[in-house]
Amino acid sequence: QVQLEESGGGLVQAGGSLRLSCAASGRTFSSRTKSWFRQAPGKEREFVAGISWNGARISYADSVKGRLTISRDNAKNTVSLQMNSLKPEDTAVYYCAVGRIGTTVADTSLENGMEYWGKGTLVAVSS
């Protein structure tokens, strides 16, 4: 059974940093794209960042460029999100996802391009 488990969320002051991690179990996903999405209270889930299977191609939402960094470790079957200079508007539940076979980085912003999802971890940024 495939499971994705996020960790690292919490409460932080504006300007602070957090590092989210997502560990996969049940299967290895070294050949799949991976993404982070988030859902703020009262809003729809939105794309945050995506990374190709080897890390050579990365995509970010405009709202997080220069502040958030996605990375992956295929040996550990993990994907991470380093979050710096956090803002109150970054407050959301953050989800990691694994892309379907054949999904490219260009498609990682599309929810229907993702096959597996974690349950999410809450990030709260106070002003």
Side-chain angles (χ1 to χ4, degrees):
Q1 182 179 0
V2 173
Q3 286 190 323
L4 302 180
E5 184 171 1
E6 302 93 341
S7 61
L11 175 63
V12 64
Q13 289 187 333
S17 298
L18 283 174
R19 184 176 180 85
L20 306 184
S21 293
C22 173
S25 60
R27 286 184 59 179
T28 57
F29 295 109
S30 58
S31 62
R32 305 272 196 110
T33 58
K34 294 184 176 181
S35 295
W36 286 94
F37 288 77
R38 67 185 182 186
Q39 186 167 21
K43 295 187 177 181
E44 294 185 352
R45 188 158 56 186
E46 65 176 2
F47 169 75
V48 175
I51 187 168
S52 63
W53 69 274
N54 61 356
R57 290 184 173 82
I58 290 175
S59 176
Y60 293 102
D62 288 342
S63 59
V64 306
K65 282 181 180 177
R67 300 186 300 115
L68 275 58
T69 303
I70 189 172
S71 61
R72 64 188 294 162
D73 186 334
N74 287 339
K76 296 181 179 179
N77 213 16
T78 60
V79 61
S80 298
L81 188 67
Q82 177 65 41
M83 308 170 70
N84 299 329
S85 302
L86 283 164
K87 305 175 181 180
E89 51 263 44
D90 293 318
T91 294
V93 176
Y94 284 73
Y95 301 90
C96 65
V98 173
R100 301 181 186 279
I101 294 175
T103 295
T104 66
V105 169
D107 299 324
T108 53
S109 62
L110 304 176
E111 289 194 35
N112 60 10
M114 301 295 110
E115 182 169 0
Y116 299 103
W117 293 84
K119 294 183 178 180
T121 185
L122 176 63
V123 172
V125 184
S126 63
S127 57

